[in-house]
Amino acid sequence: ALTQLRFLLPEDPRAPYALGGALPGDRSALPSLAAAVALRAGGFRVVNLGPDVSLPALAQAGKALDAAVAWLSASRVTGVETLRAGMGGLHESLTTRGTRLLLIGPEAKRIPLPPQARAEFCETVGELVGRARLSLGSPTDGTPAPRRS
C-alpha cells in the first residue's frame, strides 16, 4: 500500500532529490519505504534503494543525482567494523557534494560514524522530512521544496 501511495503523490520534476535505504545487513523494507513516501509528500523526488543497501551504491547515486538529502534507516545494525569503514566513505562522498545525511530508526544511534561525521539522528519520519526541508531553507508546512541550485 505504501508503494502505491508513493506513486500517487505528485512529483515536481524540478524538485531536489532525496535518496536512501536501510543499512547493509538490515532487511527491513518498511522504515525506508515510509521515509520515501513522507519525503515525496514533502516535495522531494525520491529514490529508495530499499533494504540492505550498498553504501558505495548510495554514495554513487547521491553523486549522480546531486541529491540534497540522503537517509539511512536502521532497524538492525550488524558488521560494525565493516559498517564503520563504509560510513566513512559515504560521509566523505556526500558531504563533499553538500548532501545532508539523515539517520532514522530504532537502531540509528548505534551506527558507527567517523568522528568528523555531520549526520543527524531523526526520531520520527516527520522529523526526517522537517530536517530535509529545513536544510533547503524550505518551510515545513507542505509547500514544495525549493529546487536545488
Side-chain angles (χ1 to χ4, degrees):
L2 278 179
T3 301
Q4 292 172 332
L5 176 60
R6 180 174 149 214
F7 292 110
L8 291 175
L9 296 169
E11 181 179 79
D12 180 350
R14 298 167 297 153
Y17 275 102
L19 72 138
L23 283 177
D26 184 345
R27 296 177 188 227
S28 302
L30 190 56
S32 188
L33 184 55
V37 170
L39 286 162
R40 176 91 173 246
F44 289 85
R45 289 184 288 174
V46 175
V47 176
N48 179 15
L49 299 174
D52 194 20
V53 72
S54 157
L55 296 181
L58 181 61
Q60 185 177 20
K63 180 179 180 181
L65 297 172
D66 190 26
V69 175
W71 82 85
L72 279 169
S73 65
S75 298
R76 180 175 174 220
V77 176
T78 61
V80 173
E81 290 308 314
T82 304
L83 189 54
R84 181 175 286 117
M87 288 301 295
L90 176 65
H91 175 265
E92 183 178 332
S93 175
L94 294 177
T95 56
T96 58
R97 304 203 54 80
T99 302
R100 190 174 200 154
L101 178 58
L102 303 174
L103 307 174
I104 189 167
E107 297 291 309
K109 292 187 178 176
R110 292 191 54 230
I111 298 172
L113 298 171
Q116 75 278 15
R118 292 188 313 246
E120 299 173 54
F121 297 97
C122 303
E123 297 290 326
T124 66
V125 172
E127 183 181 356
L128 178 91
V129 174
R131 286 178 185 254
R133 292 177 62 79
L134 287 174
S135 72
L136 300 171
S138 180
T140 59
D141 64 1
T143 56
R147 191 170 171 197
R148 191 161 163 165
S149 50

